[in-house]
Amino acid sequence: ERELKFFEMQRGMEEQLLRREDESRQLRMRLEGEIANREAQLANAAKQIQLEKDRYTVESRKKIESKSKDYVSAALDTLEGKEKQFHRMSNFWTSLGAVSLLAGLALFAYVTVTSFITLPSTLSWEFILFSAFKGLVGLALFAALAKYAYLLGHLNMREALKNGDRRHAINFGKFYLESYGAAADWGQIKDAFEHWNID
């Protein structure tokens, strides 16, 4: 009888153990299913976030490219206008210098000729010195004006060439931006435009 009771108790315990194992297996399967669902939801959410990030990145890069193109175009237009202005000023001052030299030579020739035409009957050293001094002063004034005009012409030409070099550097940056704009990061773009303001 005791053995029978132990046997029934053992069988009851085994049944209870089997039930517990079955419950734990079902619980484990349910938890694994929930975990798989949550992982799938997280993967889907991560995929959506990545797509949104890519879309935002593409939109922001397009926005940056359009704004940078506008800025670069405005800078190029401004530099081109300044370059033309400096060329015009250089040509003006160089022409004024050439005209000044010619006017100085013409004045010197005129003073020399008029001095010989109006020669007094008695030639004195004072008259010769006065005529020569008058011609040299006129020539010196026109030579100084010519030197000043050539100096200003040179400075304006130098500024025009500097603006041309700047335009060239910005055009290189623009080419880089158009070629690699979507794939380039900020450091690369900054390096491409770094040397536009050269001395």
Side-chain angles (χ1 to χ4, degrees), residues 158-170:
R158 205 169 82 210
E159 284 298 317
L161 292 174
K162 191 185 294 185
N163 279 341
D165 290 342
R166 286 177 178 163
R167 280 186 342 127
H168 175 72
I170 288 177

Side-chain angles (χ1 to χ4, degrees), residues 90-144:
S90 174
N91 289 337
F92 169 76
W93 285 110
T94 305
S95 300
L96 184 65
V99 168
S100 296
L101 282 178
L102 291 175
L105 290 175
L107 177 71
F108 186 73
Y110 173 75
V111 167
T112 304
V113 169
T114 55
S115 295
F116 280 119
I117 290 175
T118 59
L119 273 174
S121 58
T122 59
L123 201 58
S124 67
W125 283 104
E126 292 87 18
F127 178 75
I128 294 173
L129 282 175
F130 175 70
S131 296
F133 182 71
K134 187 168 61 169
L136 287 176
V137 166
L139 184 61
L141 285 174
F142 280 110

Side-chain angles (χ1 to χ4, degrees), residues 140-159:
L141 285 174
F142 280 110
L145 179 62
K147 180 175 170 122
Y148 180 71
Y150 280 130
L151 178 68
L152 286 177
H154 173 72
L155 290 175
N156 281 304
M157 182 56 75
R158 205 169 82 210
E159 284 298 317

